[in-house]
Amino acid sequence: MKRYQVIETIEQLKAISDSLRLEIVTYLTKEAYTGKQLATMLNLSASKVHYHLKELENHHFIQVVRTEEKNGIVQKFYRAVAFDFKVSDDLLPSLQEDTMLTQESMLHHLRSSITRLYNAPEASFMQFADEEKRPPSIASTSEFKAPRHQIQAWLLKYKALLNELVEIEDQFQKQVAAGDADDVEENFYMVTVGFMTNERYFVAEDESLPDNYEHLPSEFEHLTDKIVVKKKKASEAPDDRRE
């Protein structure tokens, strides 16, 4: 499977700007399925799924990778041709007029992350284990009110950090290829979705914890741990406090 597929026509753009088709492509990114298998997983009729498969195939988003004969019927197994889509700059005028692709693309990231979240092993979520056994993870839903130009400046820094992760992976792969490091089975999966909106949900009149609790010490000023502890009484020794 290739990494990138370029969307070059309005017809392709319309074909992939559909939530069900993006969901189908998400399944077919991981492995090959028949239309019947997809219909069962999606709880839809086989005819409806086959219609969308044909549309995706006609616009070169999926392809038949093998066939199997069962009870005299030839079953087609489909697979996505790529797991990342780019849009040709020729389509910029259409993208400027229709935001549906951007919205569906964000939903695609969220749907695929939900699937991977449920399929990940239990060991991925041992956040309350001893620190040496705790896997790297992050989960956050936040709102920030600030001028757009400041958010844009921050996003540039964030994208640079993501690029640093790519560089870390590239360096590690070179070390493995050279025999200087052992390969690992784990991957760090992360999904990022952020956008400007007029709605603000996370507003509290009182940001404090209940009187007898406090946050655990953190290296971050504004990010706190999920665990809170009871406040230390004056009579307690310093060693009694969790760190």
Side-chain angles (χ1 to χ4, degrees), residues 29-243:
T29 296
K30 183 179 181 182
E31 57 185 276
Y33 290 109
T34 67
K36 185 176 181 180
Q37 289 173 327
L38 287 167
T40 300
M41 291 186 289
L42 296 167
N43 197 26
L44 295 171
S45 67
S47 59
K48 183 172 184 177
V49 170
H50 277 105
Y51 167 77
H52 289 290
L53 286 173
K54 184 55 64 176
E55 287 294 300
L56 289 168
E57 186 181 21
N58 288 341
H59 291 97
H60 311 295
F61 291 108
I62 64 172
Q63 61 186 355
V64 176
V65 292
R66 74 175 191 273
T67 59
E68 293 180 5
E69 187 173 339
K70 185 176 181 180
N71 299 325
I73 299 175
V74 176
Q75 296 179 316
K76 295 180 180 181
F77 286 79
Y78 295 89
R79 191 83 194 271
V81 300
F83 62 84
D84 198 355
F85 299 114
K86 299 294 184 180
V87 181
S88 169
D89 60 351
D90 291 338
L91 298 179
L92 281 177
S94 299
L95 291 173
Q96 290 167 351
E97 295 177 2
D98 189 352
T99 64
M100 184 58 69
L101 179 66
T102 301
Q103 290 171 301
E104 288 299 337
S105 177
M106 288 185 174
L107 285 170
H108 169 67
H109 288 303
L110 293 174
R111 291 189 192 102
S112 61
S113 66
I114 290 172
T115 301
R116 294 194 65 169
L117 182 69
Y118 280 119
N119 290 336
E122 292 183 1
S124 300
F125 309 107
M126 297 176 61
Q127 292 309 299
F128 306 118
D130 294 337
E131 189 168 354
E132 64 272 11
K133 298 179 181 178
R134 199 177 302 165
S137 73
I138 184 170
S140 176
T141 305
S142 309
E143 290 179 330
F144 305 99
K145 182 177 285 190
R148 283 193 177 196
H149 71 277
Q150 291 184 321
I151 299 293
Q152 291 281 21
W154 179 87
L155 280 174
L156 289 175
K157 297 177 184 178
Y158 179 66
K159 290 176 180 178
L161 280 176
L162 293 179
N163 190 63
E164 186 178 320
L165 269 180
V166 176
E167 293 172 353
I168 289 172
E169 180 185 35
D170 288 345
Q171 184 62 35
F172 176 67
Q173 295 297 339
K174 289 177 182 178
Q175 291 174 337
V176 171
D180 297 330
D182 294 328
D183 204 352
V184 295
E185 295 182 358
E186 295 179 315
N187 296 285
F188 182 67
Y189 173 77
M190 185 170 65
V191 61
T192 302
V193 171
F195 52 91
M196 303 299 292
T197 175
N198 295 329
E199 296 179 303
R200 189 170 179 85
Y201 291 173
F202 304 150
V203 179
E205 296 178 1
D206 184 359
E207 297 273 354
S208 64
L209 288 170
D211 290 341
N212 55 332
Y213 284 95
E214 61 185 349
H215 290 291
L216 285 168
S218 171
E219 59 182 307
F220 302 104
E221 181 180 357
H222 301 293
L223 297 178
T224 57
D225 198 283
K226 291 288 185 184
I227 299 295
V228 295
V229 294
K230 289 187 176 181
K231 288 183 179 178
K232 187 184 68 172
K233 297 179 181 178
S235 60
E236 291 179 319
D239 292 341
D240 292 336
R241 182 173 177 170
R242 283 184 62 189
E243 294 184 357

